[in-house]
């Protein structure tokens, strides 16, 4: 049985999708067939938390046998089950008690999972991990880390929990992603062009360009960094490219739907991506990143 540790819980769920999480808890408690739910319910939190396509992000990745993973910001457990299948030990950290309960119910028969409720910055660990994940998490460090340089401080904190030969996995949006130029609203605020304008009205939740991430990770002590490019993004990925296998003409799918917010359509994204591919600029404008980071020499 999976177990929940409440020792670091503040008593308040400070991050939540609201009442719909009660519905999700009921769904997982009653073992309702997720695909039928998704088919008949077009609300974004239902798709995001329950879609099996979330697993596409890392189902292909070969984790080392017998290894451990710290999943920071586990949400409602969309990837937690995959980690439990592939690794010997899984520790999932989640700010929200309700989301932790969803994870526990979702994987109630799993024996290699521990769930800790609380802010990572407040939790004391007595071990180091082979893998640590920040899937849609790094961009929130400015909101939940009380430091002058919260993103760097947070990464240094995470690095301290990693084994010497361990791997940090990060997934987040590219602030210069083509979707934002083409009329998608910023994922976290719902504002048009907020990221490409430099987040002038908010610094609590931000995403980064590829070069900004390189500098941030290098300053945190990560020297061996490999980039992948989930498309249309890391949340519901259908394709994953890399610097070793960049897309060729025609490989990018047609214009992508936006499931959580209304969007403008300012141009044909497939045609623009083809032009960027020809000019070798795909990586700069990719919608999101999946990054594998090691300390290196």
């Amino acid at each position: 049985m999976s177990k929940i540790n409440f020792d670091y819980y503040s008593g308040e769920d400070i991050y939540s999708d609201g009442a719909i999480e009660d519905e999700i808890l009921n769904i997982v408690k009653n073992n309702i067939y997720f695909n039928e739910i998704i088919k008949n319910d077009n609300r974004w939190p239902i798709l995001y938390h329950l879609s099996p396509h979330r697993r596409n992000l890392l189902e292909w990745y070969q984790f080392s046998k017998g290894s451990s993973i710290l999943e920071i910001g586990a949400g409602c457990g969309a990837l937690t089950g995959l980690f439990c299948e592939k690794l010997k030990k899984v520790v999932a950290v989640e700010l929200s008690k309700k989301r932790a309960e969803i994870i526990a119910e979702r994987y109630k028969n799993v024996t290699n999972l521990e769930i800790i409720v609380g802010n990572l910055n407040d939790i004391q660990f007595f071990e180091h991990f082979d893998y640590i994940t920040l899937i849609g998490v790094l961009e929130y460090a400015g909101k939940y880390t009380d430091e002058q340089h919260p993103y760097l401080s947070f990464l240094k904190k995470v690095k301290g929990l990693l084994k010497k030969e361990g791997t940090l996995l990060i997934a987040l949006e590219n602030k210069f992603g083509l979707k934002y130029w083409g009329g998608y609203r910023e994922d976290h605020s719902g504002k048009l062009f907020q990221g490409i304008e430099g987040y002038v009205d908010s610094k609590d939740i931000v995403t980064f360009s590829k070069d900004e991430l390189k500098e941030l990770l290098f300053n945190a002590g990560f020297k061996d960094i490999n980039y992948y490019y989930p498309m249309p993004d890391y949340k519901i990925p259908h394709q994953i490219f890399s610097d070793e296998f960049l897309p060729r003409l025609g490989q990018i799918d047609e214009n992508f739907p936006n499931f959580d917010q209304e969007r403008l359509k300012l141009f044909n994204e497939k045609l623009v991506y083809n032009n960027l591919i020809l000019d070798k600029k795909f990586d700069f404008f990719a919608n999101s990143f999946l990054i594998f980071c090691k300390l290196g020499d």
Side-chain angles (χ1 to χ4, degrees):
M1 295 286 289
S2 58
K3 57 182 180 179
I4 307 181
N5 180 341
F6 290 109
D7 290 349
Y8 302 95
Y9 180 49
S10 68
E12 180 185 7
D13 286 3
I14 56 178
Y15 187 84
S16 171
D17 282 326
I20 197 169
E21 291 185 2
D22 292 315
E23 297 181 45
I24 294 173
L25 180 58
N26 182 64
I27 289 169
V28 299
K29 275 185 175 180
N30 291 283
N31 296 312
I32 299 173
Y33 189 49
F34 290 177
N35 284 344
E36 285 300 312
I37 295 292
I38 293 167
K39 180 180 176 181
N40 296 296
D41 193 324
N42 63 1
R43 289 175 294 176
W44 167 245
I46 294 292
L47 177 65
Y48 180 66
H49 293 302
L50 300 181
S51 172
H53 294 296
R54 292 286 309 280
R55 293 167 58 106
N56 291 348
L57 184 69
L58 288 168
E59 195 149 31
W60 57 275
Y61 183 68
Q62 297 298 312
F63 291 95
S64 299
K65 290 184 178 179
S67 54
S68 61
I69 190 167
L70 174 63
E71 182 187 15
I72 301 172
C76 293
L79 292 172
T80 308
L82 174 67
F83 298 146
C84 290
E85 293 169 18
K86 287 179 170 281
L87 295 110
K88 183 177 181 180
K89 179 178 182 178
V90 179
V91 177
V93 173
E94 175 50 47
L95 279 168
S96 158
K97 178 183 177 183
K98 179 63 62 64
R99 290 187 171 195
E101 291 172 343
I102 291 170
I103 298 171
E105 283 291 337
R106 194 168 180 173
Y107 306 110
K108 58 188 173 185
N109 296 320
V110 169
T111 59
N112 61 338
L113 171 63
E114 178 186 3
I115 305 159
I116 303 177
V117 188
N119 186 324
L120 179 82
N121 296 306
D122 301 328
I123 299 171
Q124 186 174 8
F125 292 92
F126 299 95
E127 63 183 306
H128 293 82
F129 297 87
D130 297 293
Y131 299 95
I132 299 178
T133 66
L134 300 174
I135 310 297
V137 170
L138 178 60
E139 57 267 44
Y140 291 95
K143 188 174 181 68
Y144 299 113
T145 302
D146 187 16
E147 299 280 353
Q148 184 177 0
H149 303 289
Y151 302 98
L152 181 59
S153 297
F154 183 68
L155 283 171
K156 287 183 176 180
K157 166 81 173 181
V158 170
K159 184 188 71 171
L161 300 172
L162 195 64
K163 290 182 180 179
K164 184 178 179 181
E165 303 299 325
T167 302
L168 171 63
L169 288 73
I170 301 174
L172 77 169
E173 295 87 357
N174 174 12
K175 80 173 187 181
F176 289 135
L178 188 68
K179 67 179 186 178
Y180 295 129
W181 303 85
Y184 287 76
R185 297 178 182 275
E186 209 280 341
D187 285 66
H188 309 93
S189 68
K191 296 180 180 180
L192 286 168
F193 313 124
Q194 187 183 40
I196 62 178
E197 290 178 347
Y199 295 101
V200 292
D201 58 347
S202 174
K203 297 297 182 183
D204 286 347
I205 305 174
V206 303
T207 57
F208 305 91
S209 70
K210 184 177 180 180
D211 287 341
E212 286 174 331
L213 282 168
K214 280 183 178 179
E215 181 178 4
L216 183 61
L217 289 165
F218 184 85
N219 289 338
F222 294 97
K223 306 298 191 296
D224 183 356
I225 304 170
N226 291 289
Y227 279 81
Y228 290 76
Y229 311 98
M231 295 293 291
D233 59 28
Y234 79 87
K235 295 175 181 176
I236 311 286
H238 298 157
Q239 301 169 294
I240 299 179
F241 299 97
S242 70
D243 286 328
E244 288 71 36
F245 186 83
L246 291 168
R248 297 186 292 273
L249 288 178
Q251 281 193 309
I252 300 296
D253 291 338
E254 287 289 348
N255 292 333
F256 307 113
N258 197 36
F259 296 107
D260 58 332
Q261 305 178 76
E262 291 185 356
R263 61 154 299 189
L264 303 176
K265 184 177 179 181
L266 302 182
F267 49 71
N268 184 307
E269 289 151 65
K270 181 174 183 177
L271 294 178
V272 176
Y273 266 125
N274 280 342
N275 206 15
L276 292 170
I277 290 166
L278 284 172
D279 205 37
K280 296 181 173 53
K281 296 294 190 299
F282 168 79
D283 62 328
F284 184 86
F285 289 99
N287 285 334
S288 62
F289 303 119
L290 171 63
I291 314 167
F292 295 82
C293 317
K294 289 178 174 288
L295 299 179
D297 298 325

